[in-house]
Amino acid sequence: MSLALESELLRTFLVIAETGNVTRAADALGRTQSAISMQVKRLEDIVRAPLFERGPRGVTLSPDGERLVPYAQRIVGLIDETTSAMRASPLDGPVRVGIPEEYTQTVLPRALAAFAECHPAAEVTVRCGHSVQLISALESDELDIIVVFDWRGSMSGEVLCIDPTVWVTSRAHDIHLLRPVPIAVYRNSGWYRDFAIPSLRQHAIPYREAFSCDTCGGLKTAVAAGLAIAPLARGNIPASCRELTREDGFPPVDSSRVVLKRNPRRSSPAVDSMANVVRTAFQPAPSG
């Protein structure tokens, strides 16, 4: 019969991995060195693999230990998060969030749903819109937190990630080979005039505007149907489409930073917690 992993064994394992020394790990955990060694032995028996390589100056992770680290971090982190959530006082009050359409189907839905489930008394309101619209709403005190694109690299706020805009085509069509190449664009967009079109002109790519709309979803529909290529955030490319790279003759459109901005006039525990949820949603998942 297989033995179940115990969270405390994983926690001890992570402390040893971080300190590189059983004695220091024992001091950090408030236990004896022999007790720590016994925990390591028990964990190695459970996973049926050596996790550390002993040396004159301490211990280093074995290949199996390296494999275990991201899983242990996720398990211990989830336990700590659960404990914190259960002990925390319920949050209430309004939380107004603005997000770009690009992330309404990918990064943020699960995070926002999890927040609402953990804090049902909080009155969460989500507004979807373009970055310019969301910034204006934040400045007008209509939103508490926004996630926006910073194309010029000059916006204040917390950088969550880098998500460059690239030209995208359908996997089932070769429309990007046409000249002039048909493109789908945002209607009445300053970004489109300042970034998307110049990226084509700078590389002498002839184009024609074949499709225009006001939503990211419209651009993705046009690309998937083979009507045109379109500029999309790399993190928002549909499965039926692919990025056009320099090997295809298309350069990136921009190097957008994804920025979290907060309303300095509005602060509460619920807003602080929501900011943390959004921040966590953009963190990369551990590889393993």
Side-chain angles (χ1 to χ4, degrees):
M1 183 177 70
S2 61
L3 300 176
L5 282 173
E6 299 175 17
S7 62
E8 286 307 308
L9 298 182
L10 295 176
R11 194 181 301 276
T12 298
F13 163 74
L14 290 175
V15 174
I16 298 173
E18 181 179 352
T19 61
N21 186 284
V22 173
T23 301
R24 287 198 293 268
D27 290 341
L29 292 168
R31 298 185 178 181
T32 65
Q33 184 174 341
S34 60
I36 295 299
S37 297
M38 289 177 62
Q39 284 190 309
V40 172
K41 178 63 168 60
R42 177 171 172 75
L43 183 58
E44 290 179 330
D45 289 342
I46 292 173
V47 299
R48 299 177 182 177
L51 300 175
F52 295 101
E53 296 175 354
R54 279 71 178 177
R57 297 185 178 180
V59 296
T60 58
L61 287 167
S62 69
D64 286 306
E66 294 280 2
R67 288 177 53 210
L68 180 59
V69 166
Y71 297 104
Q73 289 173 332
R74 284 154 62 182
I75 292 170
V76 171
L78 182 58
I79 289 172
D80 290 344
E81 180 183 344
T82 302
T83 302
S84 177
M86 294 303 295
R87 292 178 177 174
S89 301
L91 301 179
D92 59 12
V95 183
R96 304 168 300 173
V97 184
I99 60 176
E101 185 189 358
E102 281 84 349
Y103 296 122
T104 56
Q105 300 296 321
T106 55
V107 177
L108 293 177
R110 289 188 302 273
L112 298 177
F115 178 90
E117 184 174 349
C118 292
H119 306 293
E123 302 169 2
V124 179
T125 303
V126 179
R127 179 183 301 187
C128 175
H130 299 304
S131 293
V132 173
Q133 297 169 335
L134 297 179
I135 292 171
S136 176
L138 187 77
E139 293 174 346
S140 300
D141 198 23
E142 298 171 19
L143 294 172
D144 303 311
I145 301 170
I146 61 172
V147 174
V148 292
F149 289 104
D150 176 19
W151 310 295
R152 303 184 186 277
S154 58
M155 186 182 297
S156 63
E158 177 184 350
V159 178
L160 299 173
C161 69
I162 306 297
D163 197 1
T165 307
V166 296
W167 288 100
V168 175
T169 190
S170 166
R171 293 183 182 275
H173 304 87
D174 291 326
I175 197 155
H176 63 284
L177 300 176
L178 297 179
R179 293 297 182 272
V181 62
I183 64 173
V185 296
Y186 288 118
R187 186 168 32 231
N188 301 320
S189 167
W191 169 85
Y192 148 68
R193 293 189 300 269
D194 294 342
F195 289 90
I197 295 305
S199 75
L200 297 176
R201 289 176 176 168
Q202 289 168 7
H203 288 75
I205 300 174
Y207 66 91
R208 67 178 182 86
E209 296 183 14
F211 187 96
S212 64
C213 64
D214 293 322
T215 67
C216 175
L219 296 188
K220 290 194 287 187
T221 297
V223 175
L227 298 176
I229 66 171
L232 297 173
R234 182 176 285 159
N236 191 38
I237 299 176
S240 62
C241 303
R242 70 173 180 89
E243 174 183 347
L244 289 169
T245 65
R246 293 188 185 277
E247 286 71 24
D248 296 303
F250 288 82
V253 178
D254 62 31
S255 298
S256 291
R257 304 188 311 167
V258 180
V259 176
L260 171 68
K261 293 180 68 68
R262 295 186 56 169
N263 185 340
R265 293 163 289 185
R266 302 288 177 179
S267 183
S268 70
V271 172
D272 293 341
S273 181
M274 177 62 79
N276 188 55
V277 165
V278 172
R279 183 181 300 112
T280 301
F282 280 92
Q283 292 178 357
S287 59

